[in-house]
Amino acid sequence: MASASWSGVPRWVWVPAGAGALFIVLPLVALATRVEWGSFWSLITSESSRQALLLSLRTSGAATVLCVVLGVPMALVLARTSFRGQGLLRSLVLLPLVLPPVVGGIALLYTFGRRGLLGETMDVLGLQIAFSTTAVVIAQTFVSLPFLVVSLEGTLRTAGQRYEVVASTLGARPTTVLRRVTLPLVLPGLAAGAVLSFARALGEFGATITFAGSLEGVTRTLPLEIYLQRETNPDAAVALSLVLVVVAVLVIGLVRGTRGSQP
Amino acid sequence: MKRIMGLAAAALLLTTTVAACGSSDDASRGADAPKATTITVFAAASLKGAFTEIGAEFEKANPGVTVTFNFAGSADLVSQIQQGAPADVFASADTKNMDKATGDDLVDGTPADFATNTLEIATPPGNPAKIDSLDDLARKGVKVVLCAPEVPCGAAAVGVEQASGVDIAPVSEEQSVTDVLGKVISGEADAGLVYVTDVKAAGDQVVGVTFPESGDVVNTYPIASLAGSKSPEAARAFAEFVTGTKGQAVLAAAGFAKP
């Protein structure tokens, strides 16, 4: 079957490609082999594990909503308009992707912390962000936002503006065009970006530990719980790691699904 | 034919790269071996300042010996040693983690206790929450950050709470002393429990508040040369240097007490 159709890929490419795949899969296999299957269920359902997983799902969900609310307009501005300094803006938006998470955490600390740039203002408003679940959501949003913006901007550019132009020449106002034409057109891309953001938020560790702290049920997300368990109970850390891997694989599978349905 | 050539070229490229990585490593090792010895010391993160200085003193006293360090949490270091990390000396921040290493027969001889450390309250400069005693940490509205009970500094904090009967409700249980200090220095927390040596090392970034109950929980630091060492003599010499006059002087200057 495969040899009948011309793929255009030289056969030797399979060798490094296979090596690359092994490089990613092997550590996951190694992780799975170290799981104490006998006690797996009790390890992942302990009170602290459950709290951590639930908190992670809750905060990642909230972070994803924030990413959509803030990221969709950003992607629209980047893809559909042009102005001076747009290139710089695009680079800045991408920054959290490449920053070490701990740097993001420190930056957030000096922005939203008690003595941070906005700290006093928020104190006056009665908002206490330090050591709260809100801080976790902020940290996760900070690192996940670029995923949504980048993937949606790409989709917007690929989709082009033909239908939008037609709609507006037929008299539709910009908001109507956005609501009735643009958004439905890029919905698969938006969904993919949202799911990616969710996955990134789920794995967030460095910025959270630096900015939000670690308290069971309040700020200790699954990655923080894994890091802590490793000190005393490596078996629990391995079991929880596997849970995180499985959730991540499911989430990425979801992205593949939405991508696949794209025209 | 072309395809096979391509495949061969790729294979060749792969092997030469792998070989190149391997050989450069061997070459550097081989060149060092006859005239110089390098020992790797795995030491608890809290020893970073003192041990860096002791390492320099040790190199001065033993020409030809180079000391490299791996500073991390003691539990991490033990698991790295258990997984076969090339370490010559292990200095732990508590006896519990050293016991793990001795239990697995990874230690050469018997570990020696070389320092002790006690807890102290760290507050941001100016002590804004007016913390004077351990009791103040249980006051309502005071944001206290502790280490998690799972890590040694957190276990010590639990010990102090139990010994004094003061019940502290922290706003965060951090992973390490450094994390606690970070929250105090930035002013996010009103107070944190860290080691005496951490307050000293942080300089005027924090204000230390001593409390009498700290004497109830004393953390002992053991050091041992490791069974897997390729330079057992140099490893033993380093462990002895730490427990010797010079080493003890450096540790005392950093705020550690004698065991």
Side-chain angles (χ1 to χ4, degrees):
Chain A
M1 271 293 279
S3 58
S5 66
W6 190 81
S7 70
V9 173
R11 208 172 266 188
W12 60 265
V13 167
W14 285 90
V15 177
L22 263 185
F23 179 61
I24 292 171
V25 171
L26 214 52
L28 299 180
V29 172
L31 186 70
T33 60
R34 292 303 292 265
V35 172
E36 297 277 338
W37 292 107
S39 50
F40 181 76
W41 190 248
S42 65
L43 287 175
I44 64 163
T45 50
S46 75
E47 180 57 24
S48 54
S49 305
R50 260 179 356 98
Q51 291 256 13
L53 180 63
L54 285 178
L55 180 69
S56 264
L57 293 174
R58 260 194 358 247
T59 53
S60 301
T64 308
V65 171
L66 265 178
C67 281
V68 170
V69 169
L70 301 173
V72 172
M74 283 168 82
L76 282 168
V77 167
L78 286 177
R80 290 287 188 260
T81 67
S82 70
F83 52 89
R84 270 171 67 94
Q86 197 182 24
L88 180 69
L89 185 70
R90 183 176 290 115
S91 317
L92 287 176
V93 170
L94 288 179
L95 211 53
L97 275 183
V98 293
L99 276 185
V102 61
V103 174
I106 291 174
L108 290 172
L109 200 57
Y110 289 112
T111 313
F112 298 102
R114 285 164 100 189
R115 296 191 180 170
L117 207 57
L118 306 177
E120 273 179 40
T121 321
M122 292 192 308
D123 233 15
V124 172
L125 297 171
L127 293 169
Q128 289 270 2
I129 287 184
F131 308 114
S132 67
T133 308
T134 314
V136 178
V137 176
I138 292 177
Q140 290 174 337
T141 308
F142 183 76
V143 296
S144 321
L145 193 52
F147 284 83
L148 189 115
V149 176
V150 169
S151 97
L152 185 59
E153 192 201 346
T155 314
L156 280 165
R157 286 183 181 278
T158 327
Q161 287 184 278
R162 275 179 304 150
Y163 299 108
E164 293 166 16
V165 171
V166 171
S168 76
T169 50
L170 292 175
R173 297 159 61 89
T175 306
T176 315
V177 176
L178 176 66
R179 201 163 46 83
R180 303 287 296 273
V181 182
T182 315
L183 287 182
L185 205 60
V186 297
L187 203 58
L190 175 59
V195 169
L196 265 183
S197 301
F198 180 80
R200 178 66 190 87
L202 206 58
E204 211 310 298
F205 171 78
T208 310
I209 204 163
T210 317
F211 174 50
S214 172
L215 192 68
E216 188 177 295
V218 182
T219 50
R220 188 173 295 152
T221 55
L222 195 52
L224 268 59
E225 175 72 19
I226 292 171
Y227 194 64
L228 184 63
Q229 284 294 343
R230 203 187 37 119
E231 292 274 349
T232 46
N233 193 351
D235 289 344
V238 169
L240 288 173
S241 300
L242 193 70
V243 170
L244 197 59
V245 168
V246 169
V247 175
V249 167
L250 287 177
V251 165
I252 295 168
L254 216 61
V255 180
R256 300 288 306 173
T258 51
R259 281 265 163 85
S261 67
Q262 245 176 301
Chain B
M1 193 57 197
K2 250 188 188 161
R3 206 174 272 162
I4 293 168
M5 292 283 282
L7 202 67
L12 196 70
L13 193 73
L14 204 69
T15 39
T16 45
T17 353
V18 172
C21 295
S23 68
S24 70
D25 219 63
D26 285 348
S28 62
R29 239 178 247 153
D32 286 348
K35 45 179 169 27
T37 316
T38 298
I39 53 166
T40 305
V41 176
F42 278 34
S46 48
L47 293 167
K48 192 170 182 204
F51 265 40
T52 309
E53 205 178 324
I54 290 176
E57 294 274 348
F58 181 75
E59 285 175 357
K60 231 188 281 170
N62 298 270
V65 182
T66 309
V67 186
T68 58
F69 290 104
N70 175 19
F71 294 110
S74 302
D76 278 337
L77 294 173
V78 174
S79 54
Q80 284 167 12
I81 294 167
Q82 283 168 334
Q83 300 292 324
D88 300 289
V89 179
F90 175 42
S92 171
D94 60 354
T95 42
K96 199 182 90 196
N97 281 299
M98 184 57 90
D99 289 346
K100 283 192 218 162
T102 40
D104 282 7
D105 291 328
L106 297 165
V107 163
D108 164 37
T110 321
D113 297 339
F114 67 94
T116 62
N117 216 346
T118 46
L119 292 179
E120 189 172 336
I121 301 168
T123 71
N127 193 353
K130 305 270 176 289
I131 307 288
D132 294 321
S133 66
L134 195 65
D135 291 315
D136 287 341
L137 298 187
R139 220 167 58 201
K140 245 189 140 61
V142 174
K143 283 191 157 91
V144 182
V145 174
L146 302 179
C147 286
E150 285 86 345
V151 297
C153 57
V158 170
V160 163
E161 282 184 87
Q162 282 169 351
S164 62
V166 176
D167 194 16
I168 305 168
V171 290
S172 179
E173 293 175 348
E174 301 284 329
Q175 223 74 39
S176 70
V177 166
T178 348
D179 292 327
V180 174
L181 264 183
K183 261 77 184 191
V184 173
I185 290 172
S186 66
E188 289 307 302
D190 298 318
L193 274 183
V194 298
Y195 290 115
V196 170
T197 51
D198 300 310
V199 173
K200 198 154 189 171
D204 46 16
Q205 291 177 287
V206 298
V207 172
V209 178
T210 52
F211 57 98
E213 298 91 334
S214 68
D216 294 333
V217 181
V218 177
N219 223 30
T220 304
Y221 287 61
I223 190 168
S225 53
L226 295 172
S229 172
K230 290 213 173 66
S231 326
E233 279 121 57
R236 260 173 243 148
F238 183 81
E240 277 162 24
F241 193 81
V242 169
T243 50
T245 327
K246 271 251 171 68
Q248 290 296 305
V250 174
L251 286 161
F256 289 97
K258 275 192 197 302

